[in-house]
Amino acid sequence: MIIYNVTVNIDDSVHDQWLEWMKTEHIPQVLATGKFKEARLTKVLVEEEQGGTTYSTQFRAFSREALDDYYNNYADALRNESLKKFADKMLAFRTELEIIDEFTVNFK
């Protein structure tokens, strides 16, 4: 399985607006493409030299093909929307992660 990870540093001046938009609009729109099983929004626990707050959003794709279809048919429009709203107030980079194995523990 593939995780599409988007890491964003957001300026303090638009932080609250951006976070609300992510939760109520952007993440639901990405999931509505039907290419991802779930999403996880996390805060990166580091103090950034340039300021702002950094978040990682991890979208778990159904397959490599589903992620490629997302890139080909949806990604540009969704990225452009974020740039229109937050332009020079955010810095984003994207990575892909492949899940090799998963482990859990169950204490009784």
Side-chain angles (χ1 to χ4, degrees), residues 17-82:
Q17 178 187 359
W18 176 86
L19 189 57
E20 182 67 18
W21 172 78
M22 283 294 289
K23 291 178 179 181
T24 62
E25 292 183 47
H26 187 69
I27 292 172
Q29 288 172 340
V30 173
L31 291 175
T33 66
K35 307 304 173 187
F36 302 97
K37 176 182 178 183
E38 61 190 12
R40 177 174 290 146
L41 176 63
T42 63
K43 183 177 178 180
V44 178
L45 300 177
V46 296
E47 190 169 322
E48 298 290 353
E49 288 182 24
Q50 76 271 17
T53 305
T54 301
Y55 290 88
S56 167
T57 308
Q58 298 177 354
F59 298 94
R60 191 178 280 224
F62 284 110
S63 65
R64 171 83 251 173
E65 295 76 21
L67 182 56
D68 289 342
D69 189 59
Y70 172 78
Y71 289 147
N72 293 328
N73 296 298
Y74 303 96
D76 287 343
L78 291 165
R79 284 180 193 167
N80 288 337
E81 184 180 338
S82 67

Side-chain angles (χ1 to χ4, degrees), residues 2-20:
I2 304 291
I3 295 174
Y4 173 56
N5 181 75
V6 182
T7 303
V8 175
N9 178 270
I10 190 73
D11 189 88
D12 291 337
S13 66
V14 294
H15 174 270
D16 293 346
Q17 178 187 359
W18 176 86
L19 189 57
E20 182 67 18

